[in-house]
Coordinates of all heavy atoms in Angstrom, one line a residue:
Chain A
Y62 N 13.5 -74.0 0.3 CA 14.1 -72.9 1.1 C 15.5 -73.1 1.3 O 16.0 -74.1 1.8 CB 13.3 -72.8 2.4 CG 13.7 -71.8 3.4 CD1 13.3 -70.4 3.2 CD2 14.6 -72.1 4.4 CE1 13.7 -69.5 4.1 CE2 15.0 -71.1 5.3 CZ 14.6 -69.8 5.1 OH 15.0 -68.8 6.0
N65 N 20.5 -70.8 6.2 CA 21.9 -70.4 6.4 C 22.5 -69.8 5.1 O 23.7 -70.1 4.8 CB 22.7 -71.7 6.8 CG 23.0 -71.7 8.2 OD1 23.4 -70.6 8.8 ND2 23.0 -72.8 8.9
S69 N 18.8 -65.9 3.1 CA 18.0 -67.0 3.3 C 16.7 -66.7 2.6 O 16.1 -65.6 2.7 CB 17.7 -67.3 4.8 OG 18.8 -67.7 5.5
K127 N 9.0 -62.1 6.6 CA 8.7 -61.6 7.9 C 7.9 -60.3 7.9 O 7.1 -59.9 8.7 CB 10.0 -61.3 8.7 CG 10.6 -62.6 9.2 CD 11.9 -62.3 10.0 CE 12.3 -63.5 10.8 NZ 13.6 -63.2 11.5
R142 N 13.5 -74.2 13.7 CA 14.4 -75.3 13.4 C 13.8 -76.6 13.1 O 14.2 -77.6 13.6 CB 15.3 -75.4 14.6 CG 16.2 -74.2 14.8 CD 16.8 -74.1 16.1 NE 17.6 -72.9 16.1 CZ 17.1 -71.7 16.3 NH1 15.8 -71.5 16.5 NH2 17.9 -70.6 16.3
Chain C
dT8 P 25.6 -82.7 17.0 OP1 25.7 -83.8 16.1 OP2 26.8 -81.7 17.1 O5' 24.4 -81.8 16.6 C5' 23.1 -82.4 16.6 C4' 22.0 -81.4 16.1 O4' 21.8 -80.4 17.1 C3' 22.5 -80.7 14.8 O3' 21.4 -80.8 13.9 C2' 22.8 -79.3 15.3 C1' 21.8 -79.1 16.5 N1 22.2 -78.2 17.5 C2 21.3 -77.3 18.0 O2 20.1 -77.3 17.6 N3 21.7 -76.5 19.0 C4 23.0 -76.4 19.6 O4 23.2 -75.7 20.5 C5 23.9 -77.4 19.0 C7 25.3 -77.4 19.5 C6 23.5 -78.2 18.0
dT9 P 21.5 -80.2 12.4 OP1 20.9 -81.2 11.6 OP2 22.9 -79.8 12.2 O5' 20.6 -78.9 12.5 C5' 19.3 -79.0 13.0 C4' 18.7 -77.6 13.1 O4' 19.3 -76.9 14.1 C3' 18.9 -76.8 11.8 O3' 17.6 -76.3 11.5 C2' 19.9 -75.7 12.2 C1' 19.6 -75.6 13.7 N1 20.8 -75.2 14.6 C2 20.5 -74.3 15.6 O2 19.4 -73.9 15.8 N3 21.6 -74.1 16.4 C4 22.9 -74.5 16.3 O4 23.7 -74.2 17.0 C5 23.1 -75.5 15.2 C7 24.4 -76.0 14.9 C6 22.0 -75.8 14.4
dG10 P 17.3 -75.7 10.0 OP1 15.9 -75.8 9.8 OP2 18.2 -76.3 9.1 O5' 17.7 -74.2 10.2 C5' 16.9 -73.4 11.1 C4' 17.6 -72.1 11.3 O4' 18.8 -72.3 12.1 C3' 18.2 -71.4 10.0 O3' 17.9 -70.1 10.1 C2' 19.7 -71.6 10.1 C1' 19.8 -71.5 11.6 N9 21.1 -71.9 12.2 C8 22.0 -72.8 11.7 N7 23.1 -72.9 12.5 C5 22.8 -72.0 13.6 C6 23.6 -71.7 14.7 O6 24.7 -72.2 15.0 N1 23.0 -70.8 15.5 C2 21.8 -70.2 15.3 N2 21.3 -69.4 16.2 N3 21.0 -70.5 14.2 C4 21.6 -71.4 13.4
dG11 P 17.6 -69.2 8.8 OP1 16.3 -69.6 8.2 OP2 18.8 -69.1 8.0 O5' 17.3 -67.8 9.5 C5' 16.5 -67.7 10.7 C4' 17.0 -66.7 11.6 O4' 18.2 -67.2 12.3 C3' 17.4 -65.4 10.9 O3' 17.0 -64.3 11.8 C2' 18.9 -65.5 10.8 C1' 19.3 -66.3 12.1 N9 20.5 -67.1 12.0 C8 20.8 -68.0 11.0 N7 21.9 -68.6 11.2 C5 22.4 -68.0 12.4 C6 23.6 -68.3 13.1 O6 24.5 -69.1 12.8 N1 23.7 -67.5 14.3 C2 22.7 -66.6 14.7 N2 23.0 -66.0 15.8 N3 21.6 -66.4 14.0 C4 21.5 -67.1 12.9
dC12 P 16.9 -62.8 11.2 OP1 15.8 -62.2 12.0 OP2 16.8 -62.9 9.7 O5' 18.3 -62.2 11.6 C5' 18.5 -61.9 13.0 C4' 20.0 -61.7 13.2 O4' 20.7 -62.9 13.0 C3' 20.6 -60.8 12.1 O3' 20.5 -59.4 12.5 C2' 22.0 -61.2 12.0 C1' 22.1 -62.5 12.8 N1 22.7 -63.6 12.0 C2 23.9 -64.1 12.5 O2 24.4 -63.7 13.5 N3 24.5 -65.1 11.8 C4 24.0 -65.6 10.7 N4 24.6 -66.5 10.0 C5 22.8 -65.1 10.2 C6 22.2 -64.1 10.9

Side-chain angles (χ1 to χ4, degrees):
Chain A
Y62 177 81
N65 255 322
S69 292
K127 284 183 166 175
R142 293 164 180 82

